[in-house]
């Protein structure tokens, strides 16, 4: 029974479906993360209070653990699948040309964009989650002044530029990954798949544009 | 002979490999007097005739019907499975698609599951093994049934026929950067999953075929659709989505 379960779980189809499912969950996380971050545009108080409320509930540890689990599963599966794919063709072609009717820049660079995103996430957590701890008091409540940290970090032009470039990598990754996840999960429809592919591009542009607006805004805030 | 027929001189780079153990290498040949009216395989025949006259070993390559329906011909031509034309097998590719003085690179399909037998011939029996694992229906022998006894909706019949157009040439594996066989396997699963006749074994079929495919060492699909673009029969990747659904269903409901 367990052996059967393990065989199913390690089959190419289920591995791809888990890859798609974790990818979609991460896409969902990115959108909520972006919406939360937009509070930076409202006011320092709105943003700091949001961050404070989010981190002051014990549920945050559960949420962080789940998110970490999803991310590690996505990363682990990506590594396993890529190694298997390389092994499937031990002798390469002398000449190989794409047909021009199938693969795209985004689809053929998924492992590369994925690695860059992985490195970005580690740096991102070090810089912001474990970055300098400033305090601010609104009313009677003392909380972390995350807003100040972000404004300060983005005064560094190279850092801000690196952030935007990383967002471009995420955008490219999502533009293929989003619709691809639906295909792996078994959803392909003569009408809706075309819509889904458009949606994939729109989602990628939204994530790239949305997150890129933050360093630009923060940089300009510091200049004033 | 057409009035516009021309003669080409081609620089061929052909993969030569004595047997499965040999390391193999690309060998250059210059072939003169290739008619633009000839097919790609006729050009290969012409090369072989020249090699035989020169007392050299002719190039081994697979072919059979030369009508684009048997699935025996293969060849990676200038880095593309079955050459540059869409929905065309190598045997149906014509030399009018090439120019005088062109360099043409000719290689065998490359995949761990398809070992090279000799030169451009590969062993594609891995596909037979996948079919044997579940790509069939059990039917009682006896008198033929009435034609309309089992009703099939027109849409389903059309989709099943589209999937059944697969000739098993393995261009999908050859063109996939991961050497994945998912387009082939999904076409074979789809043609049966869409018809009432295939329902009897449906709880086991997808599982058996997918797991055999994994066992044989094919890669995983990354949804790039190079297989669809290279398929001489235009099989599309919606079949792969159907296979993914069928596998999930089969893995969950199968009693064995």
């Amino acid at each position: 029974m367990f052996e059967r379960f393990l065989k199913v779980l390690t089959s190419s189809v289920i591995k791809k479906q888990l890859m798609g499912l974790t990818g979609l969950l991460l896409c969902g996380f990115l959108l909520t993360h972006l919406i939360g971050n937009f509070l930076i545009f409202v006011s320092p108080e709105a943003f700091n209070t949001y961050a404070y409320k989010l981190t002051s509930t014990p549920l945050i540890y559960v949420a962080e653990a789940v998110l970490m689990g999803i991310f590690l599963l996505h990363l682990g599966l990506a590594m396993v699948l890529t190694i298997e794919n390389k092994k499937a063709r031990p002798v390469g072609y002398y000449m190989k040309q794409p047909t021009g009717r199938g693969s795209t820049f985004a689809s053929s660079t998924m492992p590369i964009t994925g690695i860059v995103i992985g490195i970005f996430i580690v740096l991102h957590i070090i810089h912001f989650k474990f970055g300098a701890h400033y305090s601010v008091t609104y009313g009677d409540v003392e909380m972390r002044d995350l807003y100040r940290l972000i404004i300060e970090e983005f005064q560094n032009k190279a850092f801000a530029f690196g952030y935007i470039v990383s967002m471009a990598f995420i955008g490219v990754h999502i533009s293929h990954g989003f619709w691809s996840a639906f295909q792996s999960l078994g959803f392909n429809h003569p009408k809706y798949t075309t819509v889904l592919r458009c949606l994939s591009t729109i989602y990628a542009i939204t994530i790239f544009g949305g997150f890129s607006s933050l360093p630009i805004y923060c940089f300009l805030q510091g200049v004033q | 002979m057409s009035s516009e027929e021309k003669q080409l001189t081609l620089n061929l780079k052909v993969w030569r490999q004595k047997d499965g153990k040999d390391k193999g290498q690309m060998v250059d040949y210059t072939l003169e007097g290739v008619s633009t009216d000839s097919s790609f395989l006729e050009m290969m025949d012409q090369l072989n005739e020249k090699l035989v006259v020169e007392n050299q070993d002719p190039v081994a390559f697979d072919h059979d019907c030369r009508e684009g329906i048997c699935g025996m011909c293969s060849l990676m031509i200038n880095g593309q499975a079955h050459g540059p034309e869409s929905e065309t097998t190598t045997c149906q590719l014509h030399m009018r698609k090439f120019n005088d003085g062109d360099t043409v690179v000719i290689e065998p399909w490359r995949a761990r599951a398809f070992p090279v037998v000799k030169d451009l011939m590969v062993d594609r029996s891995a596909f037979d093994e996948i079919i044997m694992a579940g790509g069939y229906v059990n039917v009682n022998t006896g008198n033929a049934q009435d034609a309309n006894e089992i009703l099939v909706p027109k849409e389903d019949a059309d989709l099943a026929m589209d999937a059944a157009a697969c000739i098993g040439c393995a261009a999908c594996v050859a063109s996939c950067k991961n050497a994945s066989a998912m387009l082939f396997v999904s076409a074979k699963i789809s043609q049966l999953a869409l018809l009432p006749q295939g329902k009897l074994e449906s709880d086991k079929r997808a599982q058996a075929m997918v797991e055999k495919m994994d066992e044989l060492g094919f890669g995983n699909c990354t949804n790039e659709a190079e297989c669809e673009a290279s398929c001489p029969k235009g099989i599309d990747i919606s079949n792969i989505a159907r296979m993914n659904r069928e596998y999930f269903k089969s893995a969950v409901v199968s009693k064995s």
Side-chain angles (χ1 to χ4, degrees), chain A residues 4 11-12 16-17 84-85 87-89 93-99 101-103 107 176 180 183-184 186, chain B residues 79-80 107 110 112 173-176 178 207 211 214 219-224 226 229 237 241 244-245 247:
Chain A
R4 179 77 236 136
S11 70
S12 53
K16 282 298 299 172
Q17 291 186 334
E84 283 177 354
N85 292 345
K87 272 193 194 160
R89 179 168 292 135
Y93 288 108
Y94 176 84
M95 185 179 181
K96 178 85 171 79
Q97 270 197 321
T99 54
R101 303 182 293 271
S103 68
S107 75
H176 174 69
S180 176
Q183 164 79 10
S184 295
Chain B
Q80 294 192 325
E107 294 175 85
R110 295 287 190 196
R112 180 155 67 115
V173 177
S175 61
C176 174
N178 311 318
Q207 235 182 122
E211 283 160 17
D214 292 348
N220 305 289
C221 176
T222 43
N223 301 328
E224 299 204 37
E226 276 297 305
I237 59 167
N244 293 342
R245 291 197 296 273
Y247 181 83

Side-chain angles (χ1 to χ4, degrees), chain B:
Chain B
M1 191 188 289
S2 74
S3 55
E4 290 165 21
E5 191 221 1
K6 283 186 212 137
Q7 301 285 314
L8 309 174
T9 298
L10 298 171
N11 302 307
L12 305 174
K13 277 185 182 295
V14 185
W15 182 260
R16 300 304 309 261
Q17 186 173 337
K18 280 196 188 78
D19 52 39
K21 287 177 193 142
D22 183 29
K23 208 166 160 249
Q25 58 176 336
M26 297 299 287
V27 177
D28 293 350
Y29 299 102
T30 303
L31 191 62
E32 289 167 357
V34 177
S35 162
T36 48
D37 281 352
S38 64
S39 76
F40 198 86
L41 295 185
E42 283 165 344
M43 183 277 290
M44 293 299 291
D45 294 336
Q46 201 177 328
L47 170 70
N48 278 346
E49 279 165 21
K50 180 176 175 261
L51 292 176
V52 170
V53 169
E54 290 168 2
N55 216 12
Q56 291 185 56
D57 192 22
V59 180
F61 62 91
D62 275 319
H63 61 104
D64 192 4
C65 76
R66 299 204 179 195
E67 290 180 337
I69 53 168
C70 78
M72 268 317 282
C73 63
S74 55
L75 305 186
M76 207 69 178
I77 302 162
N78 283 342
Q80 294 192 325
H82 290 299
E85 257 202 304
S86 69
E87 295 193 31
T88 306
T89 53
T90 294
C91 63
Q92 294 296 297
L93 175 68
H94 282 77
M95 296 316 294
R96 67 181 82 98
K97 297 287 164 189
F98 296 86
N99 297 314
D100 192 35
D102 272 1
T103 297
V104 185
V105 178
I106 309 164
E107 294 175 85
W109 288 168
R110 295 287 190 196
R112 180 155 67 115
F114 296 151
V116 172
V117 177
K118 184 177 175 18
D119 298 332
L120 302 169
M121 284 174 84
V122 296
D123 180 359
R124 281 173 279 185
S125 51
F127 270 12
D128 300 333
E129 285 187 55
I130 294 171
I131 296 294
M132 282 192 283
Y136 52 81
V137 286
N138 289 299
V139 287
N140 291 327
T141 53
N143 286 341
Q145 282 181 316
D146 257 8
N148 292 323
E149 198 171 325
I150 304 171
L151 298 176
V152 181
K154 173 82 169 75
E155 291 85 358
D156 291 352
D158 286 350
L159 286 172
M161 192 57 225
D162 287 348
C166 170
I167 51 175
C169 68
C172 45
V173 177
S175 61
C176 174
K177 71 168 188 183
N178 311 318
S180 168
M182 286 202 178
L183 192 67
F184 166 77
V185 178
S186 69
K188 298 301 172 192
I189 287 174
S190 288
Q191 68 182 22
L192 300 174
L194 285 158
L195 299 176
Q197 289 88 340
K199 292 282 182 274
L200 203 61
E201 301 93 349
S202 67
D203 67 333
K204 290 193 201 115
R205 181 180 301 113
Q207 235 182 122
M209 292 175 78
V210 166
E211 283 160 17
K212 178 53 83 178
M213 167 184 82
D214 292 348
E215 188 190 310
L216 290 164
F218 289 103
N220 305 289
C221 176
T222 43
N223 301 328
E224 299 204 37
E226 276 297 305
C227 52
E228 177 185 298
S230 304
C231 176
K233 297 296 154 187
I235 312 273
D236 75 81
I237 59 167
S238 65
N239 289 297
I240 300 182
R242 185 177 297 104
M243 177 184 73
N244 293 342
R245 291 197 296 273
E246 288 290 322
Y247 181 83
F248 188 77
K249 218 162 57 181
S250 149
V252 172
V253 304
S254 173
K255 291 164 201 80
S256 55

Side-chain angles (χ1 to χ4, degrees), chain A residues 56-201:
Chain A
S56 54
T57 157
L59 278 178
I60 190 69
Y61 296 109
V62 181
E64 279 180 345
V66 170
L67 185 62
M68 185 76 149
I70 292 169
F71 177 75
L72 290 179
L73 188 59
H74 193 73
L75 184 77
L77 281 168
M79 290 200 291
V80 171
L81 289 165
T82 308
I83 292 167
E84 283 177 354
N85 292 345
K86 295 285 167 222
K87 272 193 194 160
R89 179 168 292 135
V91 181
Y93 288 108
Y94 176 84
M95 185 179 181
K96 178 85 171 79
Q97 270 197 321
T99 54
R101 303 182 293 271
S103 68
T104 59
F105 173 74
S107 75
S108 55
T109 52
M110 288 301 270
I112 301 162
T113 49
I115 290 168
V116 175
I117 295 165
I119 296 168
F120 166 79
I121 290 171
V122 174
L123 293 174
H124 184 67
I125 292 173
I126 293 172
H127 269 270
F128 293 116
K129 191 173 168 59
F130 300 112
H133 201 288
Y134 302 119
S135 285
V136 64
T137 309
Y138 298 115
D140 298 332
V141 190
E142 193 188 336
M143 61 185 77
R144 188 179 180 194
D145 193 355
L146 206 57
Y147 182 86
R148 185 179 155 193
L149 173 70
I150 292 170
I151 297 283
E152 272 185 15
E153 289 279 8
F154 284 134
Q155 291 317 300
N156 181 342
K157 280 184 198 160
F159 184 80
F161 181 72
Y163 187 94
I164 294 172
V165 170
S166 303
M167 291 308 108
F169 276 89
I170 292 186
V172 171
H173 199 78
I174 290 176
S175 72
H176 174 69
F178 188 78
W179 86 265
S180 176
F182 284 91
Q183 164 79 10
S184 295
L185 290 166
F187 183 87
N188 187 312
H189 188 276
K191 283 183 202 152
Y192 306 137
T193 295
T194 319
V195 178
L196 206 60
R197 289 192 84 142
C198 284
L199 209 64
S200 203
T201 311

